[in-house]
Amino acid sequence: MPAHPRIPNPQEGKLQLFAYDLRELGEGKVSVTWIAGHDETTVSKAALYAALSGTRLPKRETVSTLLRWWAGDPASEDPELDDFYLEPIWSWITRLPRWHEGRQLADQWRTRYQRLARDVIGERGFRPRAARVDIAVPPEQQRFIAELKDLIGRTGLEDELWLLFGSFCSRVERYLSGESIPTDETCLKLTDRLASVLPDLDFLDQGRRLILAAEVARAARVRDRRIARGGRTA
């Protein structure tokens, strides 16, 4: 891998645009060589440079490593919080103080990468959409809904969700009705809103609990759809 790979053309595709913008993000910040040589870095310098070339989809670990130094702020992270996290690759984001601007920027980049990965993988191998089936809200999702309702009830604003969640309100209503299940990132946003009203709420612990409950609920829906289509149950 050359020390200075060709600058990708953002007009050539999604991968190239992502790589181009990622390079722009790192302009004037610590170098790839410095990041690769840091004691905490587990990704090779070649992989880090490859992520900036736009030739292939980089791994999550690679993108996360660059973003930690270019979008985040390792000096502001709280190293004592590691045990609370479910996904070590991105845990550094939540180690940042809740008020830190790098936290929001990193979340935006993580979401952008997740969408890119979904699009690229989808383009590689198109699969016909599975037949739509209607299923009841599984018990696991009902437990998630019950936990979220209980948290909202503690605020006293269950009848005025817009005061608690603002423009986020319509999405929360879909979660409570069982129409959809929030992502890990959204679970943390929900917890953040709740913690702003409930000062005794343990943000990290509650965020972890919601993420776990949402993951179980999603798996249950996949299971029940498979059963409804007459497929395997395991």
Side-chain angles (χ1 to χ4, degrees), residues 145-208:
I145 293 170
E147 181 164 0
L148 183 56
K149 281 185 176 178
D150 179 67
L151 287 168
I152 294 173
R154 288 167 56 185
T155 69
L157 297 172
E158 60 268 31
D159 295 325
E160 298 177 293
L161 291 181
W162 63 274
L163 286 176
L164 184 58
F165 298 108
S167 60
F168 207 50
C169 180
S170 60
R171 276 201 274 175
V172 174
E173 290 174 341
R174 290 198 297 274
Y175 304 147
L176 293 173
S177 68
E179 294 178 51
S180 61
I181 301 171
T183 63
D184 292 359
E185 178 185 350
T186 303
C187 283
L188 291 175
K189 289 181 179 178
L190 289 171
T191 308
D192 186 61
R193 296 287 182 90
L194 291 163
S196 68
V197 179
L198 300 171
D200 61 334
L201 187 70
D202 187 323
F203 171 78
L204 294 171
D205 182 62
Q206 187 58 61
R208 179 176 180 271

Side-chain angles (χ1 to χ4, degrees), residues 67-224:
L67 290 177
R68 185 184 179 202
W69 296 99
W70 290 350
D73 180 9
S76 296
E77 294 175 14
D78 184 346
E80 302 298 323
L81 302 179
D82 276 32
D83 291 341
F84 288 91
Y85 302 109
L86 297 170
E87 190 178 15
I89 292 172
W90 299 102
S91 63
W92 58 269
I93 298 178
T94 317
R95 288 201 301 266
L96 289 170
R98 289 168 58 190
W99 49 263
H100 201 287
E101 61 181 9
R103 184 166 175 156
Q104 181 177 1
L105 179 59
D107 270 333
Q108 292 170 350
W109 271 94
R110 174 172 58 176
T111 299
R112 181 177 175 183
Y113 171 75
Q114 291 169 338
R115 289 173 177 167
L116 173 70
R118 180 190 60 205
D119 292 346
V120 170
I121 292 172
E123 290 170 359
R124 286 175 181 169
F126 173 76
R127 295 182 180 180
R129 184 182 294 273
R132 180 179 178 83
V133 292
D134 293 323
I135 60 172
V137 177
E140 295 87 345
Q141 187 177 358
Q142 292 176 20
R143 286 196 289 272
F144 169 82
I145 293 170
E147 181 164 0
L148 183 56
K149 281 185 176 178
D150 179 67
L151 287 168
I152 294 173
R154 288 167 56 185
T155 69
L157 297 172
E158 60 268 31
D159 295 325
E160 298 177 293
L161 291 181
W162 63 274
L163 286 176
L164 184 58
F165 298 108
S167 60
F168 207 50
C169 180
S170 60
R171 276 201 274 175
V172 174
E173 290 174 341
R174 290 198 297 274
Y175 304 147
L176 293 173
S177 68
E179 294 178 51
S180 61
I181 301 171
T183 63
D184 292 359
E185 178 185 350
T186 303
C187 283
L188 291 175
K189 289 181 179 178
L190 289 171
T191 308
D192 186 61
R193 296 287 182 90
L194 291 163
S196 68
V197 179
L198 300 171
D200 61 334
L201 187 70
D202 187 323
F203 171 78
L204 294 171
D205 182 62
Q206 187 58 61
R208 179 176 180 271
R209 286 171 58 87
L210 277 184
I211 289 172
L212 274 173
E215 287 179 349
V216 172
R218 280 192 291 272
R221 290 192 68 86
V222 171
R223 177 201 65 210
D224 287 3

Side-chain angles (χ1 to χ4, degrees), residues 38-58:
H38 195 277
D39 290 343
E40 296 182 34
T41 300
T42 59
V43 181
S44 70
K45 181 165 69 172
L48 295 173
Y49 272 125
L52 303 175
S53 68
T55 57
R56 64 176 184 269
L57 178 69

